[in-house]
Amino acid sequence: MMQNRTFGVRMFQAVNGLFLTALMALTLYPFVHLLSVSLSEGAEASRIGLHLWPRSFDWVAYREVLISELTWIGYRNTVLRTVIGTALTAALTAMTAYPLAKAYFPLRRTWIVLIVFTMIFSGGLVPNYLLIKELGLLNSLWALILPGLISPFSLLIVRNFFQSIPVSLEESARIDGASELTVMWRIVLPLSMPVMATIALWTAVGHWNAFFDAILYMTDKNKLVLQVILRKIILEHQMIGQYDGAGLNMRTAQEAVEAATIIISTLPILIVYPFLQKHFVKGVMLGSIKG
């Protein structure tokens, strides 16, 4: 019986390992495919089929993308939007969720109902555009940040996390003379780093990938974000050089330029994610201990 159970465990581990390996390969292949196409030359990049390794190695697609002024304009605007938007969202979400987590906050249930109401109903596309226009925010970075500054869903998640923090910690700090702001910034927020890191990552990825609001509110070429440029390249099949006059080498395949642009636009998120991963792991460990 012991031998059969050991054999069953080994079989499970082997099957589980094969399944996870296959899942990893399926997950990584699109990125490997794009990387291979972006490093291929001419006809090889346009070849239909599996691309696991570039047969005709060439950096020309990356050169054409990186020498384009429009690419760096998009990077600058996207980085500014992501950094400023994520910082403001994290700070204001925490400041809004903290009082809503307190039972003694006046009209707390009323405020929560109003916040949930915004998750179900919205003004619509045309009223939002007219509002941005009347506020004078067209062709402004704030048109991409202010409308979604606080997410009701994220706010409720942070509020629920704040409620799980023992009240005794806050009471001991108040006995020592700490104010509400001191309690929030020095007691509550340090204990809430896992949820705040999660909200920050959600917000950063959302800002980095967003393009529809930029299409609506931005008409100046110098205000375009990277995803709008990427959309023009892929969906409208426009070369970067043809779009901004950079003088693209015509022997560079369109597929290689598209793949190189996608790789360049994806790298920042791939670089930032490992630094936030430890907070997710810490959050899981805290949840297992409390559970």
Side-chain angles (χ1 to χ4, degrees):
M1 182 176 179
M2 187 67 180
Q3 292 178 351
N4 292 336
R5 184 162 57 183
T6 302
F7 176 76
V9 170
R10 290 179 179 177
M11 284 295 297
F12 171 78
Q13 291 177 345
V15 173
N16 190 38
L18 291 175
F19 173 76
L20 293 178
T21 302
L23 183 62
M24 179 186 66
L26 291 175
T27 304
L28 290 178
Y29 173 71
F31 188 80
V32 174
H33 173 83
L34 289 174
L35 186 62
S36 175
V37 171
S38 66
L39 293 173
S40 299
E41 179 184 10
E44 180 62 26
S46 304
R47 179 179 59 85
I48 299 176
L50 295 176
H51 289 263
L52 298 176
W53 186 260
R55 297 181 181 178
S56 301
F57 192 85
D58 198 341
W59 290 93
V60 66
Y62 286 96
R63 181 179 64 82
E64 300 299 339
V65 172
L66 294 177
I67 65 174
S68 170
E69 180 184 1
L70 195 60
T71 300
W72 296 108
I73 290 175
Y75 248 116
R76 179 196 65 194
N77 295 332
T78 302
V79 169
L80 285 175
R81 171 184 184 171
T82 302
V83 172
I84 297 174
T86 302
L88 290 177
T89 295
L92 293 180
T93 299
M95 294 175 66
T96 307
Y98 180 75
L100 293 176
K102 307 304 174 186
Y104 54 80
F105 184 69
L107 301 176
R108 184 179 70 154
R109 293 185 178 274
T110 303
W111 288 112
I112 293 176
V113 169
L114 292 176
I115 291 171
V116 174
F117 180 84
T118 63
M119 298 176 62
I120 305 173
F121 301 98
S122 64
L125 181 62
V126 175
N128 285 334
Y129 179 83
L130 294 177
L131 176 62
I132 296 297
K133 181 180 179 181
E134 292 300 323
L135 291 176
L137 296 178
L138 292 180
N139 277 321
S140 171
L141 178 67
W142 298 110
L144 309 179
I145 296 177
L146 293 180
L149 194 58
I150 298 180
S151 167
F153 179 73
S154 300
L155 178 62
L156 295 178
I157 290 178
V158 176
R159 167 187 170 269
N160 293 337
F161 193 92
F162 285 173
Q163 286 181 324
S164 66
I165 297 177
V167 181
S168 58
L169 294 176
E170 301 180 21
E171 291 178 347
S172 62
R174 292 192 182 93
I175 292 175
D176 293 335
S179 62
E180 289 291 345
L181 284 178
T182 303
V183 171
M184 184 182 70
W185 290 107
R186 296 194 175 185
I187 303 297
V188 176
L189 283 183
L191 295 175
S192 305
M193 284 304 297
V195 69
M196 295 307 301
T198 303
I199 299 302
L201 184 61
W202 287 350
T203 306
V205 173
H207 278 300
W208 190 269
N209 291 331
F211 69 94
F212 187 67
D213 52 356
I215 294 176
L216 291 177
Y217 306 136
M218 300 298 178
T219 57
D220 187 355
K221 185 181 74 170
N222 293 324
K223 299 296 180 65
L224 293 179
V225 296
L226 188 61
Q227 301 305 326
V228 174
I229 299 171
L230 180 64
R231 177 180 179 273
K232 288 182 177 294
I233 295 172
I234 296 178
L235 297 184
E236 299 179 10
H237 298 285
Q238 293 182 354
M239 298 279 196
I240 289 182
Q242 295 174 346
Y243 182 69
D244 68 350
L248 184 66
N249 189 340
M250 294 310 295
R251 76 186 182 92
T252 306
Q254 174 68 22
E255 291 80 3
V257 176
E258 294 175 358
T261 307
I262 295 174
I263 293 294
I264 291 174
S265 64
T266 307
L267 280 179
I269 294 298
L270 295 179
I271 294 173
V272 170
Y273 183 79
F275 294 98
L276 298 177
Q277 177 66 20
K278 61 181 181 180
H279 295 293
F280 292 120
V281 175
K282 183 179 179 181
V284 172
M285 294 301 295
L286 288 175
S288 64
I289 294 174
K290 289 181 181 179

